[in-house]
């Protein structure tokens, strides 16, 4: 199983970034994929997740209305569109594979992170 996150960078507050997660080594259509982040000095937290088939999504309250998760099953890709970014969105963003297909489930594989820095 491999999960490759990309798309991070430095952006000013109010700006946008799109993160991408390229997945391989498993039946992509069968599993939910989530995005997590870890800010400096803080614990890793769930940001968003998308189910395997029916498109059910989860968003942390802190990102609702600003972030949108999507997936392309044909390309084995998951995206996180992040708009109206705030300095508190700064952190390392990870994509992760759930053990099952629903959004509320444990993680069994993590990708490497991509750093997002939002300047004020």
């Amino acid at each position: 199983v491999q999960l490759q996150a990309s798309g991070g960078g430095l952006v000013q507050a109010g700006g946008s970034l799109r993160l991408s997660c390229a997945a391989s080594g498993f039946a992509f259509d069968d599993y939910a994929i989530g995005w997590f982040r870890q800010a400096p000095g803080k614990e890793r937290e769930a940001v968003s997740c998308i189910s395997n088939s029916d498109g059910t999504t989860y968003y942390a309250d802190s990102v609702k209305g600003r972030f949108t998760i999507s997936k392309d099953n044909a390309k084995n890709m998951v995206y996180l569109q992040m708009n109206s970014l705030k300095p508190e969105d700064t952190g390392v963003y990870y994509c992760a594979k759930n053990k099952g297909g629903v959004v509320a489930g444990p993680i069994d594989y993590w990708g490497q992170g991509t750093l997002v820095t939002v300047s004020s």
Side-chain angles (χ1 to χ4, degrees), residues 40-88:
K42 296 188 177 180
E43 293 188 354
R44 191 176 298 185
E45 62 174 348
V47 175
S48 183
C49 187
I50 188 164
S51 69
N52 62 329
S53 58
D54 65 1
T56 300
T57 56
Y58 159 83
Y59 295 97
D61 287 343
S62 58
V63 307
K64 281 181 182 176
R66 300 188 298 120
F67 290 12
T68 303
I69 191 170
S70 61
K71 65 186 305 192
D72 185 334
N73 286 336
K75 296 182 179 180
N76 284 15
M77 296 289 294
V78 176
Y79 305 100
L80 186 68
Q81 178 66 44
M82 306 188 295
N83 299 329
S84 302
L85 282 161
K86 304 175 181 180
E88 51 264 43

Side-chain angles (χ1 to χ4, degrees), residues 11-15 84-87 118-120:
V11 64
Q12 288 188 330
S84 302
L85 282 161
K86 304 175 181 180
V118 184
S119 63
S120 57

Side-chain angles (χ1 to χ4, degrees), residues 36-45 90-94:
F36 293 74
R37 69 185 178 190
Q38 187 165 20
K42 296 188 177 180
E43 293 188 354
R44 191 176 298 185
E45 62 174 348
T90 293
V92 179
Y93 284 69
Y94 302 86

